[in-house]
Amino acid sequence: QVQLVESGGGLVQAGGSLRLSCAASGRTFSTYNMGWFRQAPGKERQFVATISWSGAITSYSDSVKGRFTISRDNAKNTVYLQMNSLKPEDTAVYYCAGRRASVVADATDPRMYDYWGQGTQVTVSS
């Protein structure tokens, strides 16, 4: 069974950077599409970025495109989210998620994902 553990969150000033990591257990990590989502207090869980099983295809929400970069190292069973030019509105709990590589109705929908990490807090001060 797949387990995901996020790390790298913390407190940073606006304009700063953080790199989140998601370490995955299991022998089939390389067959999974991965995503990052975030959730602020009182709000719905929000799509941030996705990456295909091979890493060849990535997708970003409009709010983070150009600032965030998702990547993966299948040899290390790890997915990363490099976050640059952080803004106070990026403040949220960030979750790593995984799903089998397949066609889905909407890959940005968190309901399409089978495995989730515990989340890591990112706080951006103004």
Side-chain angles (χ1 to χ4, degrees):
Q1 202 68 39
V2 175
Q3 290 183 311
L4 305 174
V5 180
E6 304 97 332
S7 62
L11 175 64
V12 64
Q13 289 184 293
S17 298
L18 286 173
R19 189 180 77 159
L20 306 184
S21 298
C22 174
S25 66
R27 292 169 287 182
T28 59
F29 173 78
S30 63
T31 72
Y32 277 73
N33 287 7
M34 303 296 296
W36 287 96
F37 296 79
R38 65 189 183 187
Q39 188 166 23
K43 295 186 177 181
E44 295 293 314
R45 191 161 296 187
Q46 179 186 42
F47 162 72
V48 176
T50 61
I51 188 166
S52 64
W53 67 270
S54 68
I57 303 171
T58 58
S59 183
Y60 300 91
S61 68
D62 289 341
S63 62
V64 308
K65 192 170 186 177
R67 300 188 297 120
F68 292 10
T69 302
I70 188 171
S71 62
R72 69 191 298 161
D73 186 341
N74 287 346
K76 296 181 178 179
N77 280 11
T78 303
V79 179
Y80 304 97
L81 185 69
Q82 178 66 47
M83 305 185 294
N84 298 327
S85 302
L86 283 161
K87 304 174 181 179
E89 50 263 46
D90 295 319
T91 296
V93 176
Y94 282 70
Y95 296 91
C96 176
R99 63 175 177 87
R100 292 182 179 180
S102 62
V103 176
V104 297
D106 183 3
T108 70
D109 187 343
R111 294 173 295 181
M112 299 295 102
Y113 290 78
D114 301 308
Y115 303 102
W116 293 86
Q118 84 289 349
T120 185
Q121 177 71 47
V122 172
T123 302
V124 184
S125 62
S126 60

Short mmCIF file of all heavy atoms in Angstrom, two decimals, residues 89-125:
data_model
loop_
_atom_site.label_atom_id
_atom_site.label_comp_id
_atom_site.label_asym_id
_atom_site.label_seq_id
_atom_site.Cartn_x
_atom_site.Cartn_y
_atom_site.Cartn_z
N GLU A 89 -1.15 34.79 -0.06
CA GLU A 89 -2.28 33.96 -0.46
C GLU A 89 -1.89 32.51 -0.75
O GLU A 89 -2.76 31.67 -0.96
CB GLU A 89 -3.00 34.56 -1.68
CG GLU A 89 -2.08 34.93 -2.82
CD GLU A 89 -1.71 36.40 -2.83
OE1 GLU A 89 -1.37 36.94 -1.76
OE2 GLU A 89 -1.78 37.03 -3.92
N ASP A 90 -0.59 32.21 -0.75
CA ASP A 90 -0.13 30.83 -0.87
C ASP A 90 -0.20 30.09 0.46
O ASP A 90 0.03 28.88 0.50
CB ASP A 90 1.30 30.78 -1.40
CG ASP A 90 1.42 31.30 -2.82
OD1 ASP A 90 0.54 31.00 -3.65
OD2 ASP A 90 2.41 32.01 -3.10
N THR A 91 -0.47 30.80 1.54
CA THR A 91 -0.54 30.19 2.85
C THR A 91 -1.63 29.12 2.89
O THR A 91 -2.79 29.38 2.58
CB THR A 91 -0.81 31.24 3.93
OG1 THR A 91 0.29 32.15 3.99
CG2 THR A 91 -1.00 30.60 5.30
N ALA A 92 -1.25 27.91 3.27
CA ALA A 92 -2.17 26.78 3.30
C ALA A 92 -1.44 25.55 3.81
O ALA A 92 -0.21 25.55 3.93
CB ALA A 92 -2.75 26.50 1.91
N VAL A 93 -2.20 24.51 4.06
CA VAL A 93 -1.61 23.19 4.25
C VAL A 93 -1.48 22.55 2.87
O VAL A 93 -2.45 22.50 2.12
CB VAL A 93 -2.47 22.30 5.17
CG1 VAL A 93 -1.87 20.90 5.27
CG2 VAL A 93 -2.57 22.92 6.55
N TYR A 94 -0.30 22.09 2.55
CA TYR A 94 -0.03 21.50 1.24
C TYR A 94 -0.01 19.98 1.35
O TYR A 94 0.66 19.42 2.22
CB TYR A 94 1.30 22.01 0.69
CG TYR A 94 1.19 23.40 0.13
CD1 TYR A 94 1.00 24.49 0.96
CD2 TYR A 94 1.25 23.62 -1.25
CE1 TYR A 94 0.87 25.77 0.45
CE2 TYR A 94 1.13 24.90 -1.77
CZ TYR A 94 0.94 25.97 -0.92
OH TYR A 94 0.82 27.24 -1.44
N TYR A 95 -0.73 19.34 0.45
CA TYR A 95 -0.86 17.89 0.45
C TYR A 95 -0.31 17.29 -0.84
O TYR A 95 -0.56 17.79 -1.93
CB TYR A 95 -2.33 17.48 0.56
CG TYR A 95 -2.99 17.89 1.86
CD1 TYR A 95 -3.66 19.10 1.96
CD2 TYR A 95 -2.96 17.05 2.96
CE1 TYR A 95 -4.28 19.48 3.14
CE2 TYR A 95 -3.58 17.41 4.14
CZ TYR A 95 -4.24 18.63 4.23
OH TYR A 95 -4.85 18.98 5.40
N CYS A 96 0.40 16.21 -0.69
CA CYS A 96 0.84 15.39 -1.81
C CYS A 96 -0.19 14.30 -2.04
O CYS A 96 -0.74 13.74 -1.09
CB CYS A 96 2.20 14.79 -1.48
SG CYS A 96 2.87 13.66 -2.71
N ALA A 97 -0.47 13.99 -3.31
CA ALA A 97 -1.46 12.98 -3.65
C ALA A 97 -1.01 12.15 -4.84
O ALA A 97 -0.25 12.63 -5.69
CB ALA A 97 -2.81 13.63 -3.96
N GLY A 98 -1.50 10.91 -4.91
CA GLY A 98 -1.14 10.04 -6.00
C GLY A 98 -2.33 9.28 -6.56
O GLY A 98 -3.31 9.03 -5.85
N ARG A 99 -2.26 8.94 -7.84
CA ARG A 99 -3.27 8.13 -8.50
C ARG A 99 -2.61 7.32 -9.60
O ARG A 99 -1.55 7.71 -10.12
CB ARG A 99 -4.39 8.99 -9.08
CG ARG A 99 -3.94 9.95 -10.18
CD ARG A 99 -5.12 10.70 -10.79
NE ARG A 99 -4.68 11.66 -11.79
CZ ARG A 99 -4.48 11.36 -13.08
NH1 ARG A 99 -4.68 10.11 -13.52
NH2 ARG A 99 -4.08 12.30 -13.92
N ARG A 100 -3.22 6.23 -9.97
CA ARG A 100 -2.71 5.43 -11.07
C ARG A 100 -2.77 6.22 -12.36
O ARG A 100 -3.72 6.98 -12.59
CB ARG A 100 -3.50 4.15 -11.22
CG ARG A 100 -3.32 3.16 -10.08
CD ARG A 100 -4.10 1.90 -10.33
NE ARG A 100 -3.92 0.93 -9.27
CZ ARG A 100 -4.50 -0.25 -9.23
NH1 ARG A 100 -5.30 -0.63 -10.22
NH2 ARG A 100 -4.28 -1.06 -8.22
N ALA A 101 -1.76 6.04 -13.19
CA ALA A 101 -1.72 6.72 -14.48
C ALA A 101 -2.83 6.18 -15.37
O ALA A 101 -2.76 5.04 -15.83
CB ALA A 101 -0.36 6.54 -15.14
N SER A 102 -3.84 6.98 -15.59
CA SER A 102 -4.98 6.59 -16.40
C SER A 102 -5.75 7.83 -16.79
O SER A 102 -5.53 8.91 -16.24
CB SER A 102 -5.89 5.62 -15.64
OG SER A 102 -6.43 6.23 -14.48
N VAL A 103 -6.66 7.67 -17.73
CA VAL A 103 -7.51 8.78 -18.14
C VAL A 103 -8.59 8.98 -17.08
O VAL A 103 -9.28 8.04 -16.69
CB VAL A 103 -8.15 8.51 -19.51
CG1 VAL A 103 -9.12 9.62 -19.88
CG2 VAL A 103 -7.09 8.36 -20.57
N VAL A 104 -8.73 10.20 -16.61
CA VAL A 104 -9.76 10.55 -15.64
C VAL A 104 -10.53 11.75 -16.16
O VAL A 104 -10.07 12.48 -17.03
CB VAL A 104 -9.18 10.84 -14.24
CG1 VAL A 104 -8.50 9.60 -13.68
CG2 VAL A 104 -8.21 12.01 -14.31
N ALA A 105 -11.71 11.96 -15.58
CA ALA A 105 -12.56 13.06 -16.04
C ALA A 105 -11.89 14.41 -15.82
O ALA A 105 -11.98 15.30 -16.67
CB ALA A 105 -13.91 13.00 -15.33
N ASP A 106 -11.24 14.57 -14.68
CA ASP A 106 -10.61 15.84 -14.33
C ASP A 106 -9.45 15.56 -13.38
O ASP A 106 -9.68 15.30 -12.20
CB ASP A 106 -11.62 16.79 -13.70
CG ASP A 106 -11.05 18.15 -13.38
OD1 ASP A 106 -9.87 18.40 -13.70
OD2 ASP A 106 -11.78 18.99 -12.82
N ALA A 107 -8.24 15.63 -13.89
CA ALA A 107 -7.07 15.32 -13.09
C ALA A 107 -6.79 16.35 -12.01
O ALA A 107 -5.95 16.12 -11.15
CB ALA A 107 -5.84 15.18 -14.00
N THR A 108 -7.48 17.50 -12.06
CA THR A 108 -7.31 18.52 -11.04
C THR A 108 -8.27 18.33 -9.87
O THR A 108 -8.20 19.07 -8.89
CB THR A 108 -7.50 19.92 -11.63
OG1 THR A 108 -8.87 20.13 -11.98
CG2 THR A 108 -6.63 20.12 -12.87
N ASP A 109 -9.16 17.37 -9.97
CA ASP A 109 -10.14 17.09 -8.92
C ASP A 109 -9.52 16.21 -7.86
O ASP A 109 -9.08 15.10 -8.16
CB ASP A 109 -11.35 16.41 -9.55
CG ASP A 109 -12.51 16.23 -8.58
OD1 ASP A 109 -12.31 16.33 -7.36
OD2 ASP A 109 -13.64 15.99 -9.06
N PRO A 110 -9.44 16.66 -6.62
CA PRO A 110 -8.83 15.83 -5.58
C PRO A 110 -9.53 14.49 -5.38
O PRO A 110 -8.90 13.54 -4.89
CB PRO A 110 -8.92 16.70 -4.32
CG PRO A 110 -9.99 17.69 -4.62
CD PRO A 110 -9.91 17.94 -6.09
N ARG A 111 -10.79 14.40 -5.77
CA ARG A 111 -11.51 13.13 -5.63
C ARG A 111 -10.99 12.05 -6.55
O ARG A 111 -11.30 10.87 -6.36
CB ARG A 111 -13.01 13.34 -5.88
CG ARG A 111 -13.68 14.22 -4.84
CD ARG A 111 -15.11 14.55 -5.21
NE ARG A 111 -15.17 15.35 -6.42
CZ ARG A 111 -16.30 15.80 -6.97
NH1 ARG A 111 -17.46 15.51 -6.41
NH2 ARG A 111 -16.26 16.53 -8.06
N MET A 112 -10.17 12.41 -7.53
CA MET A 112 -9.59 11.45 -8.45
C MET A 112 -8.36 10.75 -7.87
O MET A 112 -7.86 9.80 -8.47
CB MET A 112 -9.19 12.13 -9.76
CG MET A 112 -10.34 12.78 -10.51
SD MET A 112 -11.58 11.59 -11.12
CE MET A 112 -12.86 11.81 -9.89
N TYR A 113 -7.88 11.21 -6.74
CA TYR A 113 -6.64 10.70 -6.17
C TYR A 113 -6.90 9.71 -5.05
O TYR A 113 -7.80 9.90 -4.23
CB TYR A 113 -5.76 11.87 -5.70
CG TYR A 113 -5.21 12.64 -6.86
CD1 TYR A 113 -6.01 13.56 -7.53
CD2 TYR A 113 -3.91 12.43 -7.30
CE1 TYR A 113 -5.52 14.25 -8.64
CE2 TYR A 113 -3.42 13.13 -8.40
CZ TYR A 113 -4.23 14.03 -9.06
OH TYR A 113 -3.74 14.70 -10.15
N ASP A 114 -6.09 8.67 -5.02
CA ASP A 114 -6.30 7.55 -4.11
C ASP A 114 -5.47 7.63 -2.84
O ASP A 114 -5.88 7.11 -1.80
CB ASP A 114 -5.96 6.24 -4.82
CG ASP A 114 -6.79 6.02 -6.07
OD1 ASP A 114 -8.03 6.10 -5.98
OD2 ASP A 114 -6.19 5.75 -7.14
N TYR A 115 -4.31 8.26 -2.92
CA TYR A 115 -3.38 8.28 -1.80
C TYR A 115 -3.01 9.71 -1.45
O TYR A 115 -2.75 10.53 -2.33
CB TYR A 115 -2.12 7.48 -2.13
CG TYR A 115 -2.43 6.05 -2.52
CD1 TYR A 115 -2.43 5.66 -3.85
CD2 TYR A 115 -2.73 5.10 -1.55
CE1 TYR A 115 -2.73 4.37 -4.22
CE2 TYR A 115 -3.03 3.80 -1.91
CZ TYR A 115 -3.03 3.44 -3.24
OH TYR A 115 -3.33 2.15 -3.60
N TRP A 116 -2.94 9.98 -0.15
CA TRP A 116 -2.68 11.32 0.35
C TRP A 116 -1.68 11.30 1.49
O TRP A 116 -1.68 10.39 2.31
CB TRP A 116 -3.97 11.97 0.85
CG TRP A 116 -4.95 12.25 -0.24
CD1 TRP A 116 -5.88 11.39 -0.75
CD2 TRP A 116 -5.09 13.47 -0.96
NE1 TRP A 116 -6.59 12.01 -1.75
CE2 TRP A 116 -6.13 13.28 -1.90
CE3 TRP A 116 -4.45 14.71 -0.91
CZ2 TRP A 116 -6.54 14.29 -2.78
CZ3 TRP A 116 -4.84 15.71 -1.78
CH2 TRP A 116 -5.88 15.49 -2.70
N GLY A 117 -0.85 12.33 1.53
CA GLY A 117 0.02 12.54 2.67
C GLY A 117 -0.71 13.25 3.78
O GLY A 117 -1.90 13.60 3.66
N GLN A 118 -0.01 13.50 4.87
CA GLN A 118 -0.62 14.12 6.04
C GLN A 118 -0.68 15.64 5.94
O GLN A 118 -1.38 16.28 6.72
CB GLN A 118 0.14 13.71 7.31
CG GLN A 118 1.39 14.54 7.62
CD GLN A 118 2.56 14.29 6.68
OE1 GLN A 118 2.56 13.35 5.88
NE2 GLN A 118 3.58 15.14 6.78
N GLY A 119 0.04 16.21 5.01
CA GLY A 119 0.06 17.64 4.82
C GLY A 119 1.22 18.32 5.53
O GLY A 119 1.70 17.84 6.55
N THR A 120 1.67 19.43 4.97
CA THR A 120 2.71 20.24 5.59
C THR A 120 2.30 21.71 5.48
O THR A 120 1.85 22.17 4.44
CB THR A 120 4.08 19.98 4.95
OG1 THR A 120 5.10 20.70 5.65
CG2 THR A 120 4.12 20.38 3.47
N GLN A 121 2.45 22.44 6.59
CA GLN A 121 1.99 23.82 6.65
C GLN A 121 2.98 24.76 5.98
O GLN A 121 4.18 24.71 6.26
CB GLN A 121 1.79 24.25 8.11
CG GLN A 121 1.39 25.71 8.29
CD GLN A 121 -0.03 25.98 7.83
OE1 GLN A 121 -0.95 25.23 8.17
NE2 GLN A 121 -0.21 27.05 7.04
N VAL A 122 2.46 25.61 5.12
CA VAL A 122 3.24 26.69 4.51
C VAL A 122 2.59 28.00 4.91
O VAL A 122 1.41 28.22 4.64
CB VAL A 122 3.30 26.57 2.98
CG1 VAL A 122 3.95 27.81 2.36
CG2 VAL A 122 4.06 25.32 2.58
N THR A 123 3.35 28.87 5.55
CA THR A 123 2.85 30.17 5.97
C THR A 123 3.74 31.25 5.37
O THR A 123 4.96 31.25 5.58
CB THR A 123 2.83 30.30 7.49
OG1 THR A 123 2.03 29.26 8.05
CG2 THR A 123 2.26 31.65 7.91
N VAL A 124 3.13 32.17 4.64
CA VAL A 124 3.85 33.25 3.99
C VAL A 124 3.41 34.56 4.63
O VAL A 124 2.24 34.93 4.56
CB VAL A 124 3.58 33.29 2.48
CG1 VAL A 124 4.44 34.37 1.82
CG2 VAL A 124 3.87 31.93 1.86
N SER A 125 4.35 35.26 5.24
CA SER A 125 4.05 36.51 5.90
C SER A 125 4.24 37.68 4.94
O SER A 125 5.08 37.64 4.04
CB SER A 125 4.93 36.70 7.13
OG SER A 125 6.31 36.75 6.77
#
